[in-house]
Amino acid sequence: MDCDLPIPRREVSFAPASPRSRYRASTPRRHPEEIERAIGSVDGVDKTRVYGKPDPSCGEIVVADLVLGKGFEQDNVLSRIRSSLETTWAKYKVPRVFNFVDSIDV
């Protein structure tokens, strides 16, 4: 699997006070909240949660769970999300996996 950047794999690192506040993969630290805000600004997304999922070759990959707004189609919303993120964010910050879910627990 291509990890987007030729940086050696590092251990997963969480801040002690908030395990969800950042994560590390084969790239610099990432803050899920900033990516959640960007995805949440796309029309058709009601809620989102971004997190790191263990990956044997990259350390972690970025995953986004999405609650789709009523009347919107998954493919259309996903296309707009990818287009928006890929033009404004570094490739390593764009989630590799998007899961459409019914609800997100806070």
Side-chain angles (χ1 to χ4, degrees), residues 19-89:
R20 202 176 160 277
S21 68
R22 64 187 132 160
Y23 53 92
R24 175 177 282 196
S26 61
T27 56
R29 291 189 197 282
R30 308 174 206 183
H31 296 274
E33 294 84 5
E34 64 185 350
I35 303 168
E36 288 172 353
R37 282 192 298 273
I39 293 172
S41 70
V42 173
D43 197 31
V45 176
D46 278 353
K47 289 185 181 180
T48 185
R49 175 180 53 207
V50 174
Y51 54 94
K53 178 181 176 184
D55 179 83
S57 61
C58 297
E60 283 191 325
I61 58 171
V62 183
V63 177
D65 291 344
L66 310 168
V67 176
L68 191 65
K70 291 184 181 183
F72 289 93
E73 295 180 16
Q74 287 184 8
D75 292 340
N76 189 340
V77 172
L78 186 55
S79 173
R80 284 187 279 134
I81 291 169
R82 287 187 191 277
S83 175
S84 173
L85 295 179
E86 290 173 358
T87 59
T88 57
W89 290 85

Side-chain angles (χ1 to χ4, degrees), residues 81-102:
I81 291 169
R82 287 187 191 277
S83 175
S84 173
L85 295 179
E86 290 173 358
T87 59
T88 57
W89 290 85
K91 188 175 180 181
Y92 70 87
K93 288 188 176 186
V94 177
R96 286 187 179 243
V97 177
F98 291 89
N99 300 313
F100 287 91
V101 297
D102 293 330

